[in-house]
């Protein structure tokens, strides 16, 4: 299925006008970056690279798409004929998926002709804005959980395709599993899930529901204990599953005190190995508030798929350089108030001292790096050929590992949830 119409009309009208003006084939460099981080955030996490590359591979205008574009009067015949042969043939570099980004970070650079590259604006922004927002929020939750596992379970709180993207992004950011099966099939994200309150309500008694679940899934399953009375349900769970009960889940109530009570009751009943997982409208702040409670794992829904209040990362797609008529590169930039950009091709590095990042250095118009500088751009597409290492389940696994390494080199203050400046400054040179 083509991804070519997952775009805004003005990209095609710009191509049509540029073809008529003779400027469509000028070599151009576009960047994706965020002017600022969401309020209170100290860093962001790049996510969506693998999804973008797979969508790029399917960016084709077939007969049905071209017929509709002509009949709807979107483009003229000359432009439709050009679109019929569209194949991205340029180069793309970017921050590795899972990398930390900061205000101004050129996290994606697209070099091709103007017409080839400008068509990718909406596709790139729709992927990176959402996926990076989810991953950035999820990374804060991972930090707040302080080593305890988290599961993403927000499919019912977003669009059906966004749910898959969110599960993927959260996993890259450090979540351990998702409830979404398509994310498991498409991206290799571990899946989890047992039963909802409806399963308990289906049966004549809570005990009957627990026995049905244990008979099917074994005593190591997780039993939901807050449908009726929590202490009674915990006692029933241990009676049915025995001391080998895997876990209980709590989805409501005053969690700090309730969790402590449940932990004490489980221990008194001999189920000392049973875990406690909580799933009650959690975000990074409620997770942090439970740091001292005997919670073993967390399930997060709405907050993670909505970017915890920031559902888009604020990224933009801007032309920063083009070739002039003499063949030389010309830096271009906006001068609009509050939206000014910095022109020119850029080479970003992370300056690391004794294993700790101290700044992000962005060289304009030059490249290379010195000792103690970690280059941030990696090739993603070369002459139209996609680097398959960044796609599929393998790409997700690579991104997850890279995220862990990138976050590990941040200063300690990066993990604080309070308001503050970006964790390291961005410096242009």
């Amino acid at each position: 299925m083509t991804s070519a119409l997952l775009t805004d009309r003005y990209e095609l009208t710009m191509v049509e006008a540029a073809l008529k003006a003779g400027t469509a084939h000028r070599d151009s460099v576009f960047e994706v970056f965020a002017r600022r981080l969401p309020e209170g955030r100290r860093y962001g996490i790049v996510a969506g690279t693998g999804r973008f590359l797979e969508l790029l591979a399917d960016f084709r205008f077939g007969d049905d798409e071209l017929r509709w574009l002509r009949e709807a009067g979107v483009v003229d015949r000359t432009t439709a004929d050009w679109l019929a042969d569209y194949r991205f043939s340029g180069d793309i570099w970017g921050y590795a998926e899972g990398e930390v980004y900061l205000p101004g970070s050129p996290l994606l650079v697209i070099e091709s002709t103007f017409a080839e590259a400008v068509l990718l604006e909406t596709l790139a922004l729709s992927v990176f804005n959402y996926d990076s927002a989810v991953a950035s929020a999820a990374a804060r939750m991972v930090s707040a959980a302080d080593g305890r596992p988290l599961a993403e379970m927000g499919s019912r709180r977003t669009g059906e395709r966004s749910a898959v993207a969110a599960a993927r992004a959260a996993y890259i950011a450090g979540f351990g599993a998702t409830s979404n099966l398509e994310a498991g099939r498409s991206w290799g994200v571990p899946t989890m899930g047992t039963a909802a309150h409806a399963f308990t309500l289906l049966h004549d008694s809570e005990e009957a529901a627990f026995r049905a679940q244990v008979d099917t899934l074994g005593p190591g399953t997780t039993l939901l204990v807050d449908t009726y009375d929590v202490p009674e349900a915990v006692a029933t769970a241990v009676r049915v599953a025995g001391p080998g009960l895997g876990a209980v889940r709590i989805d409501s109530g005053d969690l700090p005190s309730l969790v402590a009570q449940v932990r004490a009751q489980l221990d008194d009943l001999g189920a000392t190995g049973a875990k406690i997982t909580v799933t009650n409208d959690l975000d990074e702040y409620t997770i942090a508030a439970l740091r001292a409670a005997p919670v073993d794992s967390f399930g997060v829904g709405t907050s993670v798929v909505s970017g915890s209040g920031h559902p888009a990362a604020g990224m933009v797609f801007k032309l920063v350089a083009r070739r002039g008529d003499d063949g030389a590169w010309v830096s271009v930039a906006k001068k609009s108030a509050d939206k000014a950009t910095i022109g020119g091709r850029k080479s970003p590095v992370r300056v690391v001292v004794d294993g700790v990042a101290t700044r992000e250095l962005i060289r304009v118009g030059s490249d290379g790096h010195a000792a103690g500088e970690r280059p941030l751009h990696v090739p993603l597409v070369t002459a139209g050929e996609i680097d398959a290492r960044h796609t599929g389940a393998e790409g997700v696994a690579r991104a997850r590992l890279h995220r862990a390494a990138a976050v590990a080199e941040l200063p300690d203050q990066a993990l604080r949830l309070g308001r503050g400046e970006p964790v390291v400054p961005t410096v242009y040179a």
Side-chain angles (χ1 to χ4, degrees):
M1 182 177 180
T2 181
S3 58
L5 295 187
L6 300 175
T7 191
D8 290 312
R9 177 167 177 161
Y10 84 155
E11 290 161 23
L12 274 66
T13 57
M14 282 191 285
V15 169
E16 180 174 318
L19 287 169
K20 289 181 178 179
T23 54
H25 305 301
R26 280 184 172 175
D27 291 336
S28 300
V29 177
F30 286 85
E31 281 180 9
V32 172
F33 62 93
R35 292 188 177 92
R36 61 190 65 86
L37 297 173
E39 185 177 357
R41 303 289 170 87
R42 296 170 184 255
Y43 66 93
I45 296 293
V46 176
T49 308
R51 286 211 310 122
F52 170 73
L53 293 176
E54 294 193 8
L55 289 166
L56 177 62
D58 294 330
F59 201 93
R60 305 283 187 270
F61 293 88
D63 292 341
D64 290 343
E65 290 73 38
L66 293 168
R67 185 181 306 109
W68 180 83
L69 289 172
R70 291 195 301 268
E71 291 175 354
V74 176
V75 296
D76 62 15
R77 180 167 294 278
T78 299
T79 306
D81 290 343
W82 183 86
L83 293 173
D85 296 325
Y86 180 86
R87 300 291 186 275
F88 182 77
S89 62
D91 299 324
I92 301 177
W93 299 267
Y95 283 37
E97 189 163 18
E99 182 61 78
V100 167
Y101 76 88
L102 300 161
S105 295
L107 59 90
L108 196 72
V109 177
I110 300 174
E111 180 176 343
S112 187
T113 66
F114 175 84
E116 276 196 4
V118 77
L119 286 181
L120 303 181
E121 176 181 2
T122 300
L123 186 69
L125 291 180
S126 63
V127 171
F128 284 98
N129 263 318
Y130 181 70
D131 292 33
S132 297
V134 171
S136 298
R140 283 161 59 85
M141 297 173 193
V142 170
S143 296
D146 198 26
R148 288 172 287 184
L150 299 100
E152 182 282 320
M153 46 197 305
S155 294
R156 292 163 290 173
R157 298 294 188 265
T158 187
E160 66 279 4
R161 299 307 303 179
S162 296
V164 182
R168 178 186 184 278
Y171 182 64
I172 287 171
F175 275 51
T178 179
S179 64
N180 189 284
L181 292 178
E182 186 59 50
R185 183 176 76 120
S186 296
W187 302 109
V189 182
T191 62
M192 51 71 66
T194 50
H197 293 100
F199 188 75
T200 300
L201 296 170
L202 167 69
H203 291 81
D204 294 335
S205 68
E206 194 166 48
E207 181 172 346
F210 287 176
R211 288 195 183 280
Q213 186 173 329
V214 170
D215 288 346
T216 302
L217 301 177
T221 190
T222 299
L223 296 175
L224 180 59
V225 294
D226 71 333
T227 304
Y228 305 118
D229 179 79
V230 171
E232 183 177 336
V234 171
T236 301
V238 176
R239 184 171 65 253
V240 170
L245 170 65
V248 296
R249 177 164 74 96
I250 304 171
D251 191 49
S252 60
D254 180 6
L255 291 178
S257 60
L258 186 55
V259 166
Q261 294 168 18
V262 169
R263 179 72 271 159
Q265 185 180 7
L266 287 169
D267 292 345
D268 288 344
L269 294 171
T272 57
K275 306 295 186 184
I276 299 175
T277 187
V278 296
T279 58
N280 182 27
D281 290 331
L282 304 179
D283 61 14
E284 60 265 50
Y285 298 103
T286 53
I287 292 170
L290 289 166
R291 186 167 292 175
V295 177
D296 296 290
S297 62
F298 304 91
V300 188
T302 303
S303 287
V304 70
V305 302
S306 65
S308 195
H310 299 282
M315 295 176 186
V316 294
F317 183 102
K318 298 299 179 184
L319 181 68
V320 296
R322 62 170 174 80
R323 285 198 191 275
D325 293 336
D326 60 357
W329 282 103
V330 178
S331 295
V332 296
K334 286 179 59 174
K335 296 183 179 179
S336 309
D338 298 324
K339 290 189 175 183
T341 57
I342 298 175
R345 183 195 302 272
K346 301 173 185 69
S347 178
V349 298
R350 187 80 32 81
V351 180
V352 181
V353 178
D354 296 329
V356 178
T358 61
R359 60 179 173 154
E360 183 152 317
L361 177 62
I362 302 177
R363 294 187 174 93
V364 181
S366 63
D367 55 16
H369 64 280
E373 296 179 351
R374 179 167 67 83
L376 294 171
H377 276 166
V378 298
L380 302 172
V381 180
T382 303
E385 293 296 319
I386 293 169
D387 187 337
R389 293 177 299 172
H390 303 288
T391 62
E394 178 188 353
V396 171
R398 287 167 58 93
R400 180 176 167 86
L401 290 173
H402 189 85
R403 189 276 319 167
V407 171
E409 72 181 17
L410 294 179
D412 290 341
Q413 62 265 31
L415 307 183
R416 297 174 185 167
L417 297 181
R419 298 178 185 274
E421 295 299 315
V423 64
V424 296
T426 300
V427 179
Y428 291 86

